[in-house]
């Protein structure tokens, strides 16, 4: 796998490069909401042969460490603390942890303000020097430097969004939901659920700053609610979860300017006969770039699409997640397993994946985790 493809695949998982050590252990980290007895961040070891997860550690954090990211070196992990509520603006926070190289277990390092309420997503640039934090409640993006020892410095830049959308209950103001770093590390793409825009910023990781790109944003259908975003391994296409309309938007991408061109907006992810309430959540592409998966809360399933040469999508199926309210999910780096975080049934369910068809089969294996939100993997 060449460097470009490797970087693209890592971004598509919503995580940073896994570190590989001689032990060959596959370590998984799970972020949670601080409800129903959750202890904070959970650490598991994945047994690939058996297809099971064994708990190694729980790390105390009572402030809803919901979304996680691993440092490119594999030596550090970062979590947003969604319920921190510190300072006059009741801002959230971000915490750093050292990763034990032998075991994968975590040790707390430090915490910094996210400069906005309700931080819900964090990503790390590919040099490991900068963290991008999305504040859903505050409608803002914060840029935090990462020091040589893995600790977080105070924010060096921030962007405050403004605006509304037609959904008066969910789009009464800006709601920044994710910030995804481009494969070339030159741009960061910021999804705003409240304004129906996907903002594009040029990054300066040395200075820890961002500025609007040549084309600073792309607009999707009113009321769709941008949430999560991912790149195709070929670098030519990208995909956006539209949470409020349970759909996905398809883009082509100019690598030189970072500009996105909308190819297909509002690709439906729900079966035509589905009746009920639903919101879409997470999105990932398998390592081969042949299939795209998107989670649906309400339908409680993953929608499965085949990806054409032109980047467009064809629905090939749905897989019930064997749990309620699937938020984030993980396709393992080999493309053999899919792990689904079911928030309201307090479990992670494990599926085998057919590389030829993209279809999933429930293994019968699951682990109990209170209110799981995010699941990521790092090879040790």
């Amino acid at each position: 796998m060449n460097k470009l493809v490797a970087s693209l695949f890592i971004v598509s998982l919503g995580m940073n490069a896994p570190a590989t050590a001689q032990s060959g252990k596959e370590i998984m980290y799970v972020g949670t909401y601080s409800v129903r007895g959750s202890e904070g961040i959970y650490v598991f070891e994945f047994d690939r042969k058996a297809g099971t997860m064994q708990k190694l550690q729980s790390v105390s954090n009572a402030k809803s460490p919901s979304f996680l990211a691993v440092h490119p070196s594999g030596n550090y992990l970062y979590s947003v603390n969604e319920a921190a509520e510190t300072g006059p603006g009741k801002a959230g926070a971000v915490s750093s942890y050292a990763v034990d190289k032998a075991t994968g277990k975590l040790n707390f390092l430090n915490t910094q303000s996210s400069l906005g309420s309700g931080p819900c997503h964090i990503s790390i640039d590919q040099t490991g020097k900068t963290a991008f934090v999305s504040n859903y409640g505050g409608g803002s993006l914060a840029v935090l430097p990462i020091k040589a020892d893995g600790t977080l410095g105070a924010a060096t830049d921030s962007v405050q969004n403004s605006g509304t959308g037609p959904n008066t209950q969910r789009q009464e103001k800006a709601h920044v939901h994710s910030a995804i770093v481009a494969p070339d590390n030159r741009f960061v793409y910021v999804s705003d659920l409240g304004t129906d825009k996907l903002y594009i910023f040029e990054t300066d990781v040395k200075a820890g700053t961002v500025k609007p790109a040549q084309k600073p944003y792309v607009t999707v259908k009113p009321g769709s609610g941008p949430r999560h975003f991912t790149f195709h391994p070929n670098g030519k296409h990208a995909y956006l979860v539209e949470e409020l309309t349970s759909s996905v938007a398809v883009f082509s991408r100019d690598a030189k300017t970072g500009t996105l061109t909308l190819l297909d907006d509002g690709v439906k992810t729900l079966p035509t006969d589905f009746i009920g309430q639903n919101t879409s959540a997470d999105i990932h592409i398998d390592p081969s770039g042949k299939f795209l998966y998107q989670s649906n809360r309400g339908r409680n399933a993953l929608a499965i699409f085949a990806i054409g040469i032109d980047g467009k999508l064809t629905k090939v199926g749905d897989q019930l997640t064997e749990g309620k309210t699937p938020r984030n999910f993980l396709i393992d780096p080999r493309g053999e397993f899919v792990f689904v975080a079911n928030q309201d049934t307090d479990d992670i369910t494990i599926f085998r994946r057919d590389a030829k068809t993209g279809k999933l089969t429930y293994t019968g294996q699951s682990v109990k985790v209170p209110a799981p939100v995010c699941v990521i993997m790092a090879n040790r």
Side-chain angles (χ1 to χ4, degrees):
M1 183 181 289
N2 62 44
K3 291 182 179 179
L4 174 61
V5 173
S7 297
L8 282 160
F9 167 60
I10 288 159
V11 172
S12 75
L13 287 181
M15 58 183 284
N16 295 94
T20 302
Q22 291 182 350
S23 66
K25 291 183 178 179
E26 294 184 279
I27 304 299
M28 304 181 68
Y29 300 98
V30 180
T32 69
Y33 284 134
S34 297
V35 296
R36 299 193 292 277
S38 173
E39 297 174 14
I41 300 172
Y42 290 78
V43 184
F44 292 87
E45 181 176 348
F46 177 56
D47 183 328
R48 184 171 293 272
K49 185 176 181 179
T52 58
M53 297 168 62
Q54 179 181 356
K55 181 181 172 182
L56 300 179
Q57 181 192 28
S58 59
V59 181
S60 179
N61 183 330
K63 294 296 183 179
S64 289
S66 58
F67 203 90
L68 311 175
V70 175
H71 191 273
S73 68
N75 294 330
Y76 309 104
L77 178 135
Y78 302 89
S79 77
V80 296
N81 300 325
E82 201 162 338
E85 296 187 349
T86 58
K90 292 187 176 182
V94 190
S95 293
S96 63
Y97 299 84
V99 177
D100 184 287
K101 291 184 179 180
T103 66
K105 293 182 179 180
L106 304 177
N107 291 296
F108 174 77
L109 293 176
N110 80 324
T111 295
Q112 291 284 358
S113 172
S114 72
L115 301 186
S117 64
C120 63
H121 187 278
I122 181 170
S123 58
I124 312 298
D125 93 284
Q126 288 147 32
T127 69
K129 295 179 179 178
T130 308
F132 300 95
V133 180
S134 301
N135 294 303
Y136 180 86
S140 63
L141 172 74
V143 184
L144 281 71
I146 298 174
K147 300 180 182 180
D149 62 359
T151 59
L152 292 161
T156 51
D157 201 1
S158 63
V159 177
Q160 180 64 58
N161 285 358
S162 62
T164 61
N167 186 322
T168 56
Q169 291 186 327
R170 295 293 309 279
Q171 296 182 307
E172 80 291 357
K173 63 176 184 178
H175 290 298
V176 174
H177 217 310
S178 65
I180 304 298
V181 181
D184 56 16
N185 216 44
R186 295 174 52 229
F187 302 93
V188 62
Y189 294 77
V190 179
S191 301
D192 192 324
L193 182 143
T195 65
D196 293 318
K197 288 183 172 66
L198 182 62
Y199 294 90
I200 308 168
F201 295 93
E202 292 185 28
T203 63
D204 185 335
V205 296
K206 291 183 179 180
T209 59
V210 296
K211 66 178 182 179
Q214 178 177 315
K215 184 177 180 181
Y217 62 85
V218 61
T219 303
V220 292
K221 284 185 179 180
S224 58
R227 181 183 172 96
H228 283 190
F229 184 72
T230 192
F231 296 95
H232 191 278
N234 66 14
K236 298 178 181 179
H237 299 103
Y239 303 85
L240 173 70
V241 171
E242 298 174 314
E243 175 179 336
L244 303 181
T245 51
S246 303
S247 53
V248 56
V250 181
F251 301 91
S252 62
R253 175 178 178 267
D254 184 322
K256 184 178 180 179
T257 65
T259 300
L260 296 175
T261 299
L262 190 60
L263 299 180
D264 204 349
D265 196 4
V267 179
K268 298 301 182 183
T269 65
L270 295 171
T272 56
D273 59 352
F274 175 76
I275 300 174
Q277 298 295 317
N278 186 85
T279 55
S280 292
D282 201 14
I283 188 168
H284 294 296
I285 296 172
D286 81 293
S288 73
K290 294 180 179 179
F291 298 97
L292 178 143
Y293 302 79
Q294 183 163 313
S295 59
N296 280 315
R297 302 169 293 181
R299 165 67 174 161
N300 298 324
L302 299 186
I304 307 170
F305 293 89
I307 303 174
I309 296 175
D310 59 358
K312 293 189 176 182
L313 304 176
T314 302
K315 184 80 174 289
V316 296
D318 286 277
Q319 174 62 54
L320 296 177
T321 64
E322 306 295 332
K324 188 176 180 181
T325 317
R327 290 183 68 93
N328 295 86
F329 63 96
L330 167 71
I331 303 174
D332 91 272
R334 299 185 193 178
E336 297 175 348
F337 290 90
V338 175
F339 306 84
V340 182
N342 294 301
Q343 177 189 338
D344 289 337
T345 44
D346 298 334
D347 57 15
I348 295 172
T349 46
I350 304 173
F351 299 82
R352 283 192 178 272
R353 198 183 75 87
D354 187 313
K356 292 183 178 180
T357 66
K359 299 294 183 63
L360 305 178
T361 303
Y362 180 46
T363 65
Q365 299 290 337
S366 65
V367 293
K368 299 300 292 184
V369 181
V373 175
C374 175
V375 53
I376 60 177
M377 179 182 284
N379 293 335
R380 301 302 303 166

